[in-house]
Amino acid sequence: MHDCLIIGLTATMACFPLDVVRTRLLAKGNGLRYGGPFQTIAGIVKHEGPSALYSGVLPALIGMAPAGAIFYGLYDLLKHRHLEAVGAPPPPGTVPQLQLEAQWTLLYGALSGMASEIVLYPLEVVRRRIQLQSMVMAAAKASSMKHTAGLMAVAAAAAGGIKGAVPGTSAAAAAGGLRRVALTCQDIWKAEGPAGFYAGMAPNLIQVLPSSALSYYTYDRFKVLLQAQV
C-alpha cells in the first residue's frame, strides 16, 4: 500500500502540469492566453514561474488516498460478497482464483468508480477554481493597475467556459497552501451553496463509469492470465 501511494504521488506530480495546461486551454474568452499546449507551458514558466504549473495540486494530493480506498475497497467488498453469495469454495489446499463473470466485473467496477467520483468530486471543483484563480492573478500582474479590474472580469468570464470552475475571491487567490483551499471552499459555499461543489459532475460521471468498468475488467483478465503463466 505504501509503494502504491508513492507511485501515485509521483505520477500526479509528474503529470499535473498537463492538467493545468488543459484548464487554461479550455477557458474561453479573451483572458491571458499563451497559445497552444507547448506555448502555454513555456509562457507559464516564463511569466508566472514553475510553481504556477502546480496550481491546485494540493486538493489533488489530498484526494489521492481516499479515492483509492473507496475505488479499490468498494470493488473488493462487492466482489467478495458476490463470490460468497454464489458459494463456490476452492478445493482444499489450492489458492482460489477469485474472479467474476465479465458482466459483474464491469458492473462493480463502474459502481466503485462512481462512488469514488461522487465523494471526491468537490476536491476536483476546488482544484479547477484554484487553477483559474492563478489565471486571474497572472492577468492582473500582466496589466497596469488601472486595467486590473477589467482583466479580472475578463478572466472570470473566461472561467465560465468550464462549468463549475469560476475563480474565487482575490483573498483566496492570494493565499497559499491549505488556507487557499479553505478560502476557495468558503467562496463556493457562500456563492452557490452545497450544489456548487458538484457543478458539472454529470458529464464527469459519463466518462468515469465506462472508464472504471473497463479498467477493472482489463485488470482482472490480465491478472488471471499472468497467474496462469506462473
Side-chain angles (χ1 to χ4, degrees):
M1 184 67 180
H2 181 267
D3 292 339
C4 292
L5 184 59
I6 296 292
I7 293 171
L9 289 171
T10 303
T12 299
M13 295 300 293
C15 299
F16 195 80
L18 298 178
D19 188 69
V20 173
V21 171
R22 181 182 66 172
T23 300
R24 296 284 185 102
L25 294 177
L26 285 174
K28 297 179 180 179
N30 298 318
L32 185 62
R33 302 177 69 89
Y34 298 110
F38 295 107
Q39 292 90 342
T40 299
I41 293 175
I44 291 174
V45 172
K46 180 178 179 180
H47 299 288
E48 304 172 41
S51 62
L53 290 173
Y54 289 92
S55 179
V57 72
L58 189 55
L61 295 178
I62 292 173
M64 279 190 58
I70 296 171
F71 186 54
Y72 297 108
L74 181 57
Y75 177 82
D76 284 341
L77 176 63
L78 293 172
K79 176 179 178 179
H80 286 288
R81 288 289 176 86
H82 180 95
L83 292 171
E84 288 176 359
V86 298
T94 64
V95 178
Q97 286 196 1
L98 299 178
Q99 56 177 310
L100 298 170
E101 296 175 347
Q103 68 270 25
W104 295 111
T105 300
L106 293 169
L107 175 62
Y108 295 153
L111 290 175
S112 301
M114 180 177 67
S116 177
E117 187 68 15
I118 290 173
V119 173
L120 276 302
Y121 190 77
L123 286 175
E124 183 170 339
V125 172
V126 172
R127 182 179 84 241
R128 296 288 183 212
R129 298 205 181 190
I130 289 176
Q131 289 172 350
L132 287 164
Q133 287 166 5
S134 296
M135 187 176 180
V136 170
M137 295 298 290
K141 289 179 181 179
S143 68
S144 62
M145 291 300 296
K146 64 179 180 180
H147 292 135
T148 296
L151 280 174
M152 292 283 283
V154 169
I162 301 180
K163 190 174 183 181
V166 295
T169 63
S170 57
L178 287 173
R179 175 172 169 77
R180 187 174 188 179
V181 174
L183 288 175
T184 302
C185 291
Q186 180 178 311
D187 291 336
I188 296 171
W189 185 273
K190 285 183 176 179
E192 306 163 52
F197 290 100
Y198 289 93
M201 187 177 68
N204 224 51
L205 285 178
I206 294 174
Q207 171 195 347
V208 166
L209 288 173
S211 174
S212 300
L214 291 173
S215 294
Y216 258 119
Y217 176 79
T218 304
Y219 169 74
D220 271 1
R221 296 289 80 78
F222 270 100
K223 184 172 67 174
V224 170
L225 289 174
L226 290 174
Q227 287 177 346
Q229 294 175 359
V230 175

